[in-house]
Short mmCIF file of all heavy atoms in Angstrom, two decimals:
data_model
loop_
_atom_site.label_atom_id
_atom_site.label_comp_id
_atom_site.label_asym_id
_atom_site.label_seq_id
_atom_site.Cartn_x
_atom_site.Cartn_y
_atom_site.Cartn_z
N LYS A 1 -0.79 4.58 -12.39
CA LYS A 1 0.43 5.36 -12.19
C LYS A 1 0.94 5.24 -10.76
O LYS A 1 2.14 5.10 -10.53
CB LYS A 1 0.17 6.83 -12.53
CG LYS A 1 -0.13 7.07 -14.00
CD LYS A 1 -0.41 8.55 -14.26
CE LYS A 1 -0.77 8.79 -15.72
NZ LYS A 1 -1.10 10.22 -15.98
N THR A 2 0.03 5.33 -9.79
CA THR A 2 0.41 5.21 -8.39
C THR A 2 -0.50 4.20 -7.71
O THR A 2 -1.65 3.99 -8.13
CB THR A 2 0.32 6.56 -7.66
OG1 THR A 2 -1.04 7.04 -7.72
CG2 THR A 2 1.25 7.58 -8.30
N TRP A 3 0.02 3.59 -6.62
CA TRP A 3 -0.70 2.53 -5.95
C TRP A 3 -0.65 2.72 -4.44
O TRP A 3 0.34 3.22 -3.89
CB TRP A 3 -0.09 1.16 -6.29
CG TRP A 3 -0.19 0.84 -7.75
CD1 TRP A 3 0.67 1.21 -8.74
CD2 TRP A 3 -1.23 0.10 -8.40
NE1 TRP A 3 0.25 0.74 -9.96
CE2 TRP A 3 -0.92 0.06 -9.78
CE3 TRP A 3 -2.38 -0.53 -7.94
CZ2 TRP A 3 -1.73 -0.58 -10.70
CZ3 TRP A 3 -3.18 -1.19 -8.86
CH2 TRP A 3 -2.86 -1.20 -10.22
N ALA A 4 -1.73 2.31 -3.77
CA ALA A 4 -1.80 2.34 -2.32
C ALA A 4 -2.24 0.98 -1.81
O ALA A 4 -3.16 0.35 -2.38
CB ALA A 4 -2.79 3.41 -1.85
N HIS A 5 -1.59 0.51 -0.76
CA HIS A 5 -1.98 -0.76 -0.15
C HIS A 5 -3.26 -0.55 0.64
O HIS A 5 -3.37 0.38 1.44
CB HIS A 5 -0.88 -1.27 0.76
CG HIS A 5 -1.11 -2.66 1.25
ND1 HIS A 5 -1.74 -2.94 2.44
CD2 HIS A 5 -0.81 -3.87 0.71
CE1 HIS A 5 -1.81 -4.24 2.61
NE2 HIS A 5 -1.25 -4.83 1.58
N VAL A 6 -4.27 -1.43 0.42
CA VAL A 6 -5.57 -1.24 1.06
C VAL A 6 -6.00 -2.46 1.88
O VAL A 6 -7.19 -2.67 2.09
CB VAL A 6 -6.66 -0.87 0.02
CG1 VAL A 6 -6.40 0.51 -0.56
CG2 VAL A 6 -6.75 -1.92 -1.08
N GLY A 7 -5.03 -3.24 2.34
CA GLY A 7 -5.38 -4.26 3.32
C GLY A 7 -5.32 -5.69 2.84
O GLY A 7 -4.83 -6.00 1.75
N LEU A 8 -5.83 -6.59 3.71
CA LEU A 8 -5.87 -8.04 3.50
C LEU A 8 -4.47 -8.61 3.32
O LEU A 8 -4.24 -9.52 2.52
CB LEU A 8 -6.76 -8.40 2.31
CG LEU A 8 -8.21 -7.91 2.37
CD1 LEU A 8 -9.01 -8.41 1.17
CD2 LEU A 8 -8.90 -8.31 3.66
N ARG A 9 -3.54 -8.11 4.10
CA ARG A 9 -2.13 -8.46 3.95
C ARG A 9 -1.87 -9.97 4.12
O ARG A 9 -1.01 -10.53 3.47
CB ARG A 9 -1.28 -7.68 4.96
CG ARG A 9 0.21 -7.82 4.76
CD ARG A 9 0.98 -6.97 5.75
NE ARG A 9 0.62 -5.57 5.65
CZ ARG A 9 1.17 -4.73 4.76
NH1 ARG A 9 2.10 -5.19 3.93
NH2 ARG A 9 0.80 -3.47 4.72
N ASP A 10 -2.62 -10.62 5.01
CA ASP A 10 -2.32 -12.02 5.33
C ASP A 10 -3.09 -13.01 4.46
O ASP A 10 -3.09 -14.20 4.73
CB ASP A 10 -2.62 -12.30 6.81
CG ASP A 10 -1.88 -13.52 7.33
OD1 ASP A 10 -0.72 -13.73 6.94
OD2 ASP A 10 -2.47 -14.29 8.12
N THR A 11 -3.74 -12.53 3.40
CA THR A 11 -4.44 -13.46 2.50
C THR A 11 -3.46 -14.28 1.67
O THR A 11 -3.81 -15.37 1.20
CB THR A 11 -5.38 -12.69 1.56
OG1 THR A 11 -4.64 -11.66 0.89
CG2 THR A 11 -6.54 -12.08 2.33
N MET A 12 -2.29 -13.78 1.42
CA MET A 12 -1.18 -14.47 0.75
C MET A 12 -1.43 -14.77 -0.73
O MET A 12 -0.63 -14.42 -1.58
CB MET A 12 -0.83 -15.77 1.49
CG MET A 12 -0.19 -15.56 2.84
SD MET A 12 1.44 -14.82 2.66
CE MET A 12 1.97 -14.77 4.35
N GLN A 13 -2.51 -15.50 -1.04
CA GLN A 13 -2.80 -15.83 -2.45
C GLN A 13 -4.23 -15.38 -2.76
O GLN A 13 -5.17 -15.76 -2.05
CB GLN A 13 -2.68 -17.34 -2.72
CG GLN A 13 -1.52 -18.04 -2.04
CD GLN A 13 -0.15 -17.60 -2.49
OE1 GLN A 13 0.82 -17.62 -1.72
NE2 GLN A 13 -0.04 -17.21 -3.73
N ILE A 14 -4.41 -14.59 -3.83
CA ILE A 14 -5.72 -14.06 -4.20
C ILE A 14 -6.07 -14.55 -5.60
O ILE A 14 -5.28 -14.41 -6.54
CB ILE A 14 -5.74 -12.53 -4.13
CG1 ILE A 14 -5.63 -12.09 -2.65
CG2 ILE A 14 -6.99 -11.95 -4.77
CD1 ILE A 14 -5.58 -10.60 -2.45
N GLY A 15 -7.26 -15.13 -5.75
CA GLY A 15 -7.66 -15.73 -7.01
C GLY A 15 -8.46 -14.84 -7.93
O GLY A 15 -8.37 -14.96 -9.15
N ARG A 16 -9.27 -13.92 -7.36
CA ARG A 16 -10.14 -13.12 -8.22
C ARG A 16 -10.61 -11.87 -7.48
O ARG A 16 -10.78 -11.89 -6.25
CB ARG A 16 -11.36 -13.92 -8.65
CG ARG A 16 -12.22 -13.25 -9.71
CD ARG A 16 -11.53 -13.26 -11.06
NE ARG A 16 -11.45 -14.60 -11.61
CZ ARG A 16 -10.77 -14.92 -12.72
NH1 ARG A 16 -10.11 -13.97 -13.37
NH2 ARG A 16 -10.74 -16.16 -13.16
N ILE A 17 -10.81 -10.76 -8.24
CA ILE A 17 -11.40 -9.54 -7.70
C ILE A 17 -12.53 -9.12 -8.64
O ILE A 17 -12.38 -9.12 -9.86
CB ILE A 17 -10.36 -8.41 -7.60
CG1 ILE A 17 -9.26 -8.79 -6.60
CG2 ILE A 17 -11.02 -7.10 -7.18
CD1 ILE A 17 -8.17 -7.75 -6.46
N ARG A 18 -13.67 -8.76 -8.06
CA ARG A 18 -14.81 -8.26 -8.83
C ARG A 18 -15.23 -6.90 -8.28
O ARG A 18 -15.33 -6.72 -7.07
CB ARG A 18 -15.99 -9.23 -8.77
CG ARG A 18 -15.71 -10.61 -9.35
CD ARG A 18 -15.42 -10.56 -10.84
NE ARG A 18 -15.23 -11.91 -11.39
CZ ARG A 18 -14.80 -12.15 -12.62
NH1 ARG A 18 -14.49 -11.14 -13.43
NH2 ARG A 18 -14.65 -13.39 -13.06
N VAL A 19 -15.50 -5.94 -9.20
CA VAL A 19 -15.91 -4.59 -8.82
C VAL A 19 -17.35 -4.37 -9.28
O VAL A 19 -17.73 -4.74 -10.39
CB VAL A 19 -14.98 -3.54 -9.45
CG1 VAL A 19 -15.33 -2.14 -8.95
CG2 VAL A 19 -13.52 -3.86 -9.13
N HIS A 20 -18.13 -3.74 -8.43
CA HIS A 20 -19.52 -3.41 -8.75
C HIS A 20 -19.57 -2.57 -10.02
O HIS A 20 -18.79 -1.63 -10.19
CB HIS A 20 -20.13 -2.64 -7.58
CG HIS A 20 -21.62 -2.50 -7.65
ND1 HIS A 20 -22.26 -1.64 -8.52
CD2 HIS A 20 -22.61 -3.12 -6.94
CE1 HIS A 20 -23.56 -1.72 -8.34
NE2 HIS A 20 -23.80 -2.63 -7.40
N PRO A 21 -20.47 -2.86 -10.95
CA PRO A 21 -20.48 -2.15 -12.25
C PRO A 21 -20.82 -0.67 -12.15
O PRO A 21 -20.48 0.09 -13.07
CB PRO A 21 -21.51 -2.92 -13.07
CG PRO A 21 -22.35 -3.64 -12.08
CD PRO A 21 -21.45 -3.96 -10.93
N GLN A 22 -21.49 -0.23 -11.08
CA GLN A 22 -21.85 1.18 -10.94
C GLN A 22 -21.07 1.91 -9.84
O GLN A 22 -21.12 3.14 -9.75
CB GLN A 22 -23.35 1.34 -10.63
CG GLN A 22 -24.25 1.10 -11.83
CD GLN A 22 -24.59 -0.37 -12.03
OE1 GLN A 22 -24.88 -1.07 -11.06
NE2 GLN A 22 -24.57 -0.81 -13.27
N ASP A 23 -20.35 1.19 -8.99
CA ASP A 23 -19.69 1.81 -7.84
C ASP A 23 -18.25 1.32 -7.75
O ASP A 23 -18.00 0.17 -7.34
CB ASP A 23 -20.46 1.46 -6.56
CG ASP A 23 -19.87 2.14 -5.33
OD1 ASP A 23 -18.86 2.86 -5.46
OD2 ASP A 23 -20.42 1.95 -4.23
N PRO A 24 -17.27 2.14 -8.09
CA PRO A 24 -15.87 1.70 -8.07
C PRO A 24 -15.32 1.45 -6.67
O PRO A 24 -14.24 0.85 -6.53
CB PRO A 24 -15.12 2.85 -8.75
CG PRO A 24 -15.99 4.04 -8.55
CD PRO A 24 -17.40 3.53 -8.57
N ASP A 25 -16.04 1.88 -5.64
CA ASP A 25 -15.60 1.63 -4.27
C ASP A 25 -16.16 0.33 -3.69
O ASP A 25 -15.76 -0.07 -2.58
CB ASP A 25 -16.00 2.79 -3.36
CG ASP A 25 -15.22 4.06 -3.67
OD1 ASP A 25 -14.09 3.94 -4.16
OD2 ASP A 25 -15.75 5.16 -3.42
N HIS A 26 -17.06 -0.30 -4.41
CA HIS A 26 -17.72 -1.53 -3.94
C HIS A 26 -17.01 -2.71 -4.61
O HIS A 26 -17.14 -2.94 -5.81
CB HIS A 26 -19.20 -1.49 -4.32
CG HIS A 26 -20.01 -2.54 -3.64
ND1 HIS A 26 -21.39 -2.49 -3.63
CD2 HIS A 26 -19.68 -3.65 -2.94
CE1 HIS A 26 -21.86 -3.54 -2.96
NE2 HIS A 26 -20.83 -4.25 -2.55
N VAL A 27 -16.25 -3.48 -3.83
CA VAL A 27 -15.36 -4.48 -4.41
C VAL A 27 -15.38 -5.76 -3.59
O VAL A 27 -15.58 -5.72 -2.36
CB VAL A 27 -13.92 -3.92 -4.53
CG1 VAL A 27 -13.40 -3.48 -3.18
CG2 VAL A 27 -12.97 -4.89 -5.18
N TYR A 28 -15.21 -6.88 -4.28
CA TYR A 28 -15.16 -8.20 -3.65
C TYR A 28 -13.83 -8.86 -3.99
O TYR A 28 -13.32 -8.73 -5.11
CB TYR A 28 -16.29 -9.10 -4.14
CG TYR A 28 -17.67 -8.59 -3.83
CD1 TYR A 28 -18.30 -7.66 -4.66
CD2 TYR A 28 -18.37 -9.06 -2.71
CE1 TYR A 28 -19.58 -7.19 -4.38
CE2 TYR A 28 -19.66 -8.61 -2.43
CZ TYR A 28 -20.24 -7.67 -3.26
OH TYR A 28 -21.51 -7.22 -2.97
N VAL A 29 -13.28 -9.61 -3.03
CA VAL A 29 -12.02 -10.31 -3.21
C VAL A 29 -12.18 -11.77 -2.83
O VAL A 29 -12.73 -12.09 -1.77
CB VAL A 29 -10.91 -9.68 -2.33
CG1 VAL A 29 -9.65 -10.53 -2.36
CG2 VAL A 29 -10.59 -8.26 -2.80
N ALA A 30 -11.74 -12.67 -3.73
CA ALA A 30 -11.69 -14.10 -3.44
C ALA A 30 -10.27 -14.44 -3.03
O ALA A 30 -9.35 -14.42 -3.86
CB ALA A 30 -12.12 -14.91 -4.66
N ALA A 31 -10.07 -14.74 -1.74
CA ALA A 31 -8.73 -14.98 -1.19
C ALA A 31 -8.56 -16.45 -0.85
O ALA A 31 -9.34 -17.01 -0.08
CB ALA A 31 -8.50 -14.12 0.04
N LEU A 32 -7.52 -17.05 -1.41
CA LEU A 32 -7.25 -18.47 -1.15
C LEU A 32 -6.59 -18.67 0.20
O LEU A 32 -6.81 -19.68 0.86
CB LEU A 32 -6.38 -19.04 -2.27
CG LEU A 32 -6.06 -20.53 -2.19
CD1 LEU A 32 -7.33 -21.37 -2.25
CD2 LEU A 32 -5.12 -20.94 -3.33
N GLY A 33 -5.76 -17.73 0.64
CA GLY A 33 -5.08 -17.86 1.92
C GLY A 33 -3.71 -18.49 1.78
O GLY A 33 -3.14 -18.61 0.69
N HIS A 34 -3.17 -18.94 2.91
CA HIS A 34 -1.83 -19.50 2.94
C HIS A 34 -1.75 -20.80 2.13
O HIS A 34 -2.66 -21.64 2.20
CB HIS A 34 -1.41 -19.80 4.37
CG HIS A 34 -1.13 -18.57 5.18
ND1 HIS A 34 -0.26 -18.57 6.25
CD2 HIS A 34 -1.58 -17.30 5.07
CE1 HIS A 34 -0.21 -17.35 6.77
NE2 HIS A 34 -1.00 -16.57 6.07
N THR A 35 -0.65 -20.96 1.41
CA THR A 35 -0.42 -22.19 0.65
C THR A 35 0.05 -23.33 1.54
O THR A 35 -0.33 -24.48 1.33
CB THR A 35 0.63 -21.94 -0.45
OG1 THR A 35 0.19 -20.89 -1.30
CG2 THR A 35 0.89 -23.20 -1.26
N TRP A 36 0.84 -23.02 2.56
CA TRP A 36 1.58 -24.04 3.31
C TRP A 36 0.95 -24.38 4.66
O TRP A 36 1.47 -25.23 5.39
CB TRP A 36 3.02 -23.59 3.51
CG TRP A 36 3.67 -23.25 2.21
CD1 TRP A 36 3.79 -22.01 1.65
CD2 TRP A 36 4.25 -24.15 1.26
NE1 TRP A 36 4.42 -22.08 0.42
CE2 TRP A 36 4.72 -23.39 0.17
CE3 TRP A 36 4.45 -25.53 1.25
CZ2 TRP A 36 5.35 -23.95 -0.92
CZ3 TRP A 36 5.09 -26.09 0.15
CH2 TRP A 36 5.53 -25.31 -0.92
N GLY A 37 -0.16 -23.74 4.99
CA GLY A 37 -0.79 -24.04 6.27
C GLY A 37 -2.10 -23.31 6.44
O GLY A 37 -2.51 -22.50 5.59
N ALA A 38 -2.78 -23.60 7.53
CA ALA A 38 -4.08 -23.00 7.80
C ALA A 38 -3.93 -21.55 8.24
O ALA A 38 -2.94 -21.16 8.86
CB ALA A 38 -4.80 -23.80 8.88
N ASN A 39 -4.92 -20.72 7.90
CA ASN A 39 -4.99 -19.36 8.42
C ASN A 39 -6.43 -18.86 8.30
O ASN A 39 -7.24 -19.41 7.54
CB ASN A 39 -4.03 -18.42 7.70
CG ASN A 39 -4.51 -17.99 6.33
OD1 ASN A 39 -4.84 -18.83 5.49
ND2 ASN A 39 -4.54 -16.69 6.09
N ALA A 40 -6.74 -17.82 9.04
CA ALA A 40 -8.11 -17.33 9.12
C ALA A 40 -8.44 -16.28 8.07
O ALA A 40 -9.61 -16.09 7.73
CB ALA A 40 -8.38 -16.76 10.51
N GLU A 41 -7.43 -15.58 7.56
CA GLU A 41 -7.71 -14.50 6.62
C GLU A 41 -7.81 -15.06 5.20
O GLU A 41 -6.90 -14.93 4.38
CB GLU A 41 -6.62 -13.42 6.71
CG GLU A 41 -7.04 -12.12 6.05
CD GLU A 41 -6.14 -10.95 6.43
OE1 GLU A 41 -5.39 -11.05 7.40
OE2 GLU A 41 -6.21 -9.92 5.73
N ARG A 42 -8.93 -15.69 4.95
CA ARG A 42 -9.21 -16.27 3.64
C ARG A 42 -10.72 -16.35 3.45
O ARG A 42 -11.49 -16.27 4.41
CB ARG A 42 -8.57 -17.65 3.50
CG ARG A 42 -8.98 -18.66 4.56
CD ARG A 42 -8.48 -20.06 4.23
NE ARG A 42 -7.05 -20.23 4.42
CZ ARG A 42 -6.33 -21.17 3.83
NH1 ARG A 42 -6.90 -22.03 3.02
NH2 ARG A 42 -5.04 -21.29 4.08
N GLY A 43 -11.15 -16.54 2.20
CA GLY A 43 -12.58 -16.55 1.88
C GLY A 43 -12.94 -15.38 1.00
O GLY A 43 -12.09 -14.83 0.29
N VAL A 44 -14.21 -14.96 1.02
CA VAL A 44 -14.67 -13.82 0.24
C VAL A 44 -14.73 -12.59 1.16
O VAL A 44 -15.37 -12.63 2.22
CB VAL A 44 -16.05 -14.07 -0.39
CG1 VAL A 44 -16.54 -12.82 -1.13
CG2 VAL A 44 -16.00 -15.26 -1.34
N PHE A 45 -14.08 -11.53 0.72
CA PHE A 45 -14.09 -10.26 1.46
C PHE A 45 -14.81 -9.20 0.65
O PHE A 45 -14.78 -9.22 -0.58
CB PHE A 45 -12.66 -9.81 1.76
CG PHE A 45 -11.92 -10.71 2.71
CD1 PHE A 45 -11.25 -11.84 2.23
CD2 PHE A 45 -11.88 -10.44 4.06
CE1 PHE A 45 -10.55 -12.67 3.10
CE2 PHE A 45 -11.19 -11.27 4.94
CZ PHE A 45 -10.53 -12.38 4.47
N ARG A 46 -15.43 -8.24 1.36
CA ARG A 46 -16.20 -7.17 0.70
C ARG A 46 -15.83 -5.82 1.30
O ARG A 46 -15.64 -5.69 2.51
CB ARG A 46 -17.69 -7.43 0.89
CG ARG A 46 -18.61 -6.35 0.32
CD ARG A 46 -20.07 -6.71 0.51
NE ARG A 46 -20.42 -6.86 1.93
CZ ARG A 46 -21.59 -7.30 2.37
NH1 ARG A 46 -22.53 -7.65 1.51
NH2 ARG A 46 -21.83 -7.40 3.66
N SER A 47 -15.68 -4.84 0.42
CA SER A 47 -15.45 -3.47 0.85
C SER A 47 -16.40 -2.54 0.09
O SER A 47 -16.59 -2.70 -1.12
CB SER A 47 -14.00 -3.03 0.62
OG SER A 47 -13.82 -1.68 0.97
#
C-alpha cells in the first residue's frame, strides 16, 4: 500500500533480491550497476 525508499540509489539496475526466511529485516540485493559506464555502487549488498 505504501512504500519508502531505503537506499542504494546509484545501483541503477538490480537483478535480484533475497530475504532471510525467518527475518524480514535481513535482506540481500544483487546490483548490476550502471549500464553505460563504470561505477562503484554495484555487487552484493546486505542489510
Side-chain angles (χ1 to χ4, degrees):
K1 294 179 182 178
T2 61
W3 297 86
H5 189 268
V6 292
L8 304 183
R9 189 178 302 276
D10 201 38
T11 53
M12 290 293 183
Q13 319 296 149
I14 292 177
R16 189 73 69 187
I17 296 178
R18 298 296 183 189
V19 185
H20 193 285
Q22 285 85 43
D23 183 359
D25 291 333
H26 193 166
V27 57
Y28 298 84
V29 171
L32 183 61
H34 289 206
T35 302
W36 306 96
N39 77 306
E41 196 166 345
R42 57 171 74 202
V44 177
F45 293 85
R46 177 178 61 187
S47 176

